[in-house]
Amino acid sequence: VITRFDGEKMVFPCKYIDDCHVCIGNSAYHICEFAEMQERNGNTYVPSAPKISDEIGTYEIYQIPATADVDYYFRPYAEAKGKLQNADYQRSYAGMYARGNSLEDLWAKHNRDSRPFAHRMRSMSVSDIVVLTQGGKKTAYYADTIGFKKAPEFLAQQRAQKKHKERGEAR
């Protein structure tokens, strides 16, 4: 299952060729070629019935748009706590997250000159939100001045917005 950056899901058959090659849909790929292509496009991919769901997850980076009038933009979590609004953010990137990674690894990856989506998003900064999904469980983290702080209020608001949409209610 490939999830495009816009949220559209595409399901393709996947067949093992050898340790380095795979057939996805009607195309054969080197596994690194496929992974790099998905990363460039901001897509995530998971088996439709994962056997190792705890090993591989996904992450999303949410950023406040430069045009937003938000008083906690580029501020430490202590100043944002209680003000944090899911509606102030837009998803800037989605990618794969292996169990051996850390939030600091993501920070380094999204702050180098060759970062993914460099043409569509700024480097990762204080006030950005990273949502990790591992084993079906989502956890939100606020990029603080040093390290990351859990931000459960971000996901609670996201769930509430989703329920309103499902019911067809206005915000």
Side-chain angles (χ1 to χ4, degrees):
V1 178
I2 298 173
T3 304
R4 290 179 16 155
F5 187 75
D6 63 7
E8 179 185 343
K9 292 186 183 298
M10 302 173 294
V11 179
F12 296 101
C14 179
K15 291 192 297 186
Y16 172 88
I17 296 173
D18 61 36
D19 287 349
C20 295
H21 297 88
V22 64
C23 183
I24 298 173
N26 293 324
S27 301
Y29 298 95
H30 185 279
I31 56 174
C32 293
E33 174 192 16
F34 179 77
E36 289 166 357
M37 183 174 69
Q38 298 311 309
E39 181 178 55
R40 274 193 310 276
N41 293 326
N43 299 336
T44 58
Y45 50 95
V46 294
S48 57
K51 294 177 182 168
I52 53 169
S53 61
D54 292 341
E55 298 287 326
I56 299 172
T58 61
Y59 71 98
E60 299 169 291
I61 298 174
Y62 290 83
Q63 297 180 320
I64 299 170
T67 56
D69 184 24
V70 177
D71 64 350
Y72 58 90
Y73 193 25
F74 296 125
R75 300 280 186 222
Y77 184 67
E79 294 178 34
K81 193 172 181 178
K83 300 177 189 177
L84 195 69
Q85 293 295 316
N86 183 282
D88 292 336
Y89 286 84
Q90 67 183 25
R91 187 173 73 158
S92 299
Y93 185 77
M96 302 306 294
Y97 187 81
R99 187 171 64 175
N101 285 349
S102 69
L103 292 167
E104 287 73 21
D105 292 335
L106 295 180
W107 179 271
K109 177 179 182 174
H110 288 279
N111 275 290
R112 61 182 193 231
D113 290 339
S114 61
R115 68 184 178 275
F117 265 36
H119 63 285
R120 289 179 61 178
M121 69 180 279
R122 61 174 167 72
S123 61
M124 190 182 277
S125 301
V126 172
S127 77
D128 290 352
I129 302 282
V130 177
V131 176
L132 296 182
T133 305
Q134 294 179 294
K137 183 180 179 222
K138 288 187 174 202
T139 309
Y141 297 90
Y142 186 93
D144 209 353
T145 49
I146 298 174
F148 292 82
K149 300 277 194 265
K150 282 190 178 179
E153 65 271 32
F154 186 82
L155 291 176
Q157 291 173 17
Q158 208 175 46
R159 283 190 294 272
Q161 285 175 341
K162 186 176 179 181
K163 283 182 185 177
H164 287 295
K165 276 185 181 177
E166 288 171 356
R167 293 184 194 146
E169 298 173 6
R171 205 168 90 98

